[in-house]
Amino acid sequence: MKSLVEKYQNITTPKELLKFMNQYFSYGYLSKDGRVFVPTDTDFNGSWYLNYQLQSVNDILQTRVGNCFDMVEFEREWFSNHGYQIKTFFEMVLLDYNNSYSMHSFLIYEEDDTWFLFEFSDFMHKGIFKFPTIEKLLEYQKSNYISILQDQDIKNTELEKLILKEFKQPKTGITASEYLDYILSESFV
């Protein structure tokens, strides 16, 4: 029987990658002290910002959990190793005060002069979606993100603070605070 690493190494298409991720991974995160948190843990949300660390691909294959930050890096490695042109983006509401609104990172890739959104972590919009241009893709993704924020009762004045940033690969093992500092140091789209 093949190990999970061997199964991962034998994936040859984006569709196979999404199927693999759907079959073997779930939402959660790895803490700095090595504890795996899943949404059913009572302290899942409360301890995320203080305890989260960005996982490596090997960590994800071992823990089988991750959030969008982790999964984008997992996806980045696979797509990069298979010769795809990719871009990664981060979206959030940037306020001058602490907020509890969702943040999201996602990966897009180009194939045959067409752009695709590869979405695993957004449960409501999971899949591979094809677009004629990056601009159309980003409009679609922004609309999805806004609908999630509206479900969280965001105010219109806060929604005006939505940002979208393209970012390069961060270091693994960084904390949530370090991740956000890194992303926010990148340029706006």
Side-chain angles (χ1 to χ4, degrees), residues 106-136:
F106 59 95
L107 178 139
I108 68 173
Y109 68 95
E110 184 184 30
E111 184 174 24
D112 299 327
D113 296 321
T114 304
W115 284 94
F116 294 84
L117 168 63
F118 188 94
E119 184 59 75
F120 173 74
S121 297
D122 180 349
F123 312 121
M124 302 286 289
H125 306 100
K126 189 180 284 196
I128 300 172
F129 304 93
K130 181 179 178 179
F131 297 88
T133 65
I134 290 178
E135 294 77 20
K136 294 285 185 193

Side-chain angles (χ1 to χ4, degrees), residues 8-179:
Y8 169 67
Q9 292 170 340
N10 288 326
I11 296 169
T12 59
T13 68
K15 286 182 183 179
E16 289 176 7
L17 178 62
L18 185 61
K19 182 179 178 183
F20 173 86
M21 293 173 77
N22 281 325
Q23 184 173 357
Y24 294 106
F25 298 149
S26 59
Y27 196 76
Y29 64 91
L30 178 65
S31 70
K32 293 180 283 189
D33 65 2
R35 179 177 165 200
V36 173
F37 283 81
V38 295
T40 54
D41 292 334
T42 55
D43 53 349
F44 179 79
N45 288 323
S47 68
W48 174 82
Y49 189 77
L50 298 174
N51 291 310
Y52 171 81
Q53 74 170 4
L54 184 65
Q55 296 183 76
S56 69
V57 168
N58 288 336
D59 290 337
I60 294 167
L61 286 167
Q62 184 175 0
T63 65
R64 296 188 183 199
V65 300
N67 63 20
C68 60
F69 303 170
D70 300 308
M71 291 307 167
V72 161
E73 298 314 316
F74 185 85
E75 297 157 10
R76 181 193 306 275
E77 179 176 282
W78 186 88
F79 279 95
S80 296
N81 288 343
H82 288 82
Y84 288 87
Q85 179 182 345
I86 64 164
K87 293 179 180 279
T88 52
F89 294 90
F90 175 81
E91 52 196 351
M92 75 174 289
V93 179
L94 186 59
L95 301 172
D96 294 333
Y97 50 88
N98 194 8
N99 75 75
S100 60
Y101 298 121
S102 298
M103 299 171 265
H104 188 57
S105 55
F106 59 95
L107 178 139
I108 68 173
Y109 68 95
E110 184 184 30
E111 184 174 24
D112 299 327
D113 296 321
T114 304
W115 284 94
F116 294 84
L117 168 63
F118 188 94
E119 184 59 75
F120 173 74
S121 297
D122 180 349
F123 312 121
M124 302 286 289
H125 306 100
K126 189 180 284 196
I128 300 172
F129 304 93
K130 181 179 178 179
F131 297 88
T133 65
I134 290 178
E135 294 77 20
K136 294 285 185 193
L137 187 157
L138 295 177
E139 285 174 23
Y140 170 84
Q141 184 61 25
K142 182 178 177 182
S143 176
N144 290 345
Y145 183 55
I146 288 172
S147 71
I148 291 167
L149 293 171
Q150 288 170 333
D151 287 345
Q152 297 173 1
D153 296 324
I154 191 168
K155 298 173 188 161
N156 285 336
T157 54
E158 293 173 324
L159 199 51
E160 293 171 3
K161 306 286 184 168
L162 189 149
I163 62 166
L164 176 67
K165 296 187 138 226
E166 182 177 356
F167 68 98
K168 304 294 181 208
Q169 186 171 12
K171 294 181 208 169
T172 58
I174 61 176
T175 65
S177 174
E178 292 167 331
Y179 182 89

Side-chain angles (χ1 to χ4, degrees), residues 165-169 180-188:
K165 296 187 138 226
E166 182 177 356
F167 68 98
K168 304 294 181 208
Q169 186 171 12
L180 292 173
D181 287 346
Y182 171 74
I183 296 295
L184 294 174
S185 72
E186 296 287 296
S187 61
F188 284 92

